[in-house]
Amino acid sequence: MKILIPADQIQQRVAELARQIARDYHDRPLTIVGVLTGSLIFLADLVRHLDLHLRIGLIQASSYRGETTTPGELTISPELLPELRGRHVLLLDDILDTGQTLVRLVERLQTLEIASLRTGVLLRKIGRQQVAFEPDYTGFDIPDAFVVGYGLDYNDEYRHLPYLAVLKDE
Ligand code: 5GP
Ligand code: MG
């Protein structure tokens, strides 16, 4: 495993993103909706920097990768979502790869009569997007490799690593 982004760099960047978000939402309450399971660590670190009127919600999206590193069919489970009608929502995911997950989730949230919607990702893979989609907040642009750590898994392992690493032997 090769370290791609060390823990201290992630923490620094997350704090910067939080400052940007705090500026943008200083005058309206915010609901951050984290996409399970990958965004969990990012969400937890980010919100602790935010001195705002803040709510947290969760939505599950999975593309059933298991032991593969290529996406399968996407399933969205909105059962954990709080009431979002009239709320300013920031949808937060771990990584923008092809873009299919976020585009589908945005479509879904837009059916809920929310007041506004923005998106944020910790990572964006260069040259992989299949749909035109620009997140409002992006932590790092990374090369096209399969990464684990800081919430991201391979076969449900490695999520707890405080750094991001490239998984070498797939
Ligand atoms: P997309 O729909 O943008 O292709 O894929 C987004 C989802 O695929 C992410 O939420 C994440 O769960 C998973 N994913 C994409 N690339 C990677 C990667 O490099 N490592 C891991 N662990 N998951 C990834
Ligand atoms: Mg995910």
Side-chain angles (χ1 to χ4, degrees):
M1 211 178 283
K2 182 175 162 287
I3 294 190
L4 183 68
I5 309 177
D8 59 335
Q9 272 181 40
I10 299 174
Q11 293 304 328
Q12 236 176 57
R13 185 67 186 129
V14 169
E16 274 172 25
L17 289 173
R19 281 195 288 277
Q20 211 181 328
I21 292 166
R23 270 198 306 275
D24 294 349
Y25 289 92
H26 72 277
D27 56 352
R28 50 198 171 140
L30 173 62
T31 302
I32 296 188
V33 172
V35 182
L36 288 174
T37 306
S39 76
L40 207 61
I41 312 285
F42 179 32
L43 174 73
D45 280 348
L46 184 78
V47 294
R48 280 178 285 182
H49 289 285
L50 291 174
D51 184 13
L52 292 174
H53 287 284
L54 184 71
R55 292 181 174 85
I56 297 173
L58 296 167
I59 189 165
Q60 186 161 29
S62 44
S63 39
Y64 294 116
R65 276 166 209 253
E67 291 184 14
T68 74
T69 55
T70 46
E73 200 181 322
L74 183 75
T75 309
I76 296 174
S77 314
E79 293 84 10
L80 298 170
L81 275 185
E83 173 66 55
L84 291 180
R85 190 175 305 151
R87 303 252 183 257
H88 297 282
V89 175
L90 171 58
L91 179 65
L92 202 70
D93 204 359
D94 51 359
I95 184 167
L96 183 74
D97 184 17
T98 66
Q100 299 293 348
T101 304
L102 273 178
V103 164
R104 292 272 308 281
L105 286 169
V106 163
E107 281 170 10
R108 177 69 71 98
L109 292 183
Q110 273 165 347
T111 65
L112 302 179
E113 296 173 57
I114 56 181
S116 70
L117 180 60
R118 287 189 178 187
T119 55
V121 293
L122 180 70
L123 306 171
R124 177 172 56 184
K125 267 192 213 174
I126 298 298
R128 287 275 301 165
Q129 273 90 79
Q130 296 171 351
V131 282
F133 183 84
E134 192 63 33
D136 298 286
Y137 306 96
T138 301
F140 300 92
D141 285 323
I142 61 165
D144 180 10
F146 194 80
V147 294
V148 297
Y150 202 72
L152 292 102
D153 75 307
Y154 170 67
N155 201 20
D156 286 323
E157 278 194 80
Y158 310 116
R159 292 194 199 275
H160 62 295
L161 302 177
Y163 50 83
L164 280 149
V166 173
L167 202 58
K168 273 184 179 162
D169 202 69
E170 296 188 352

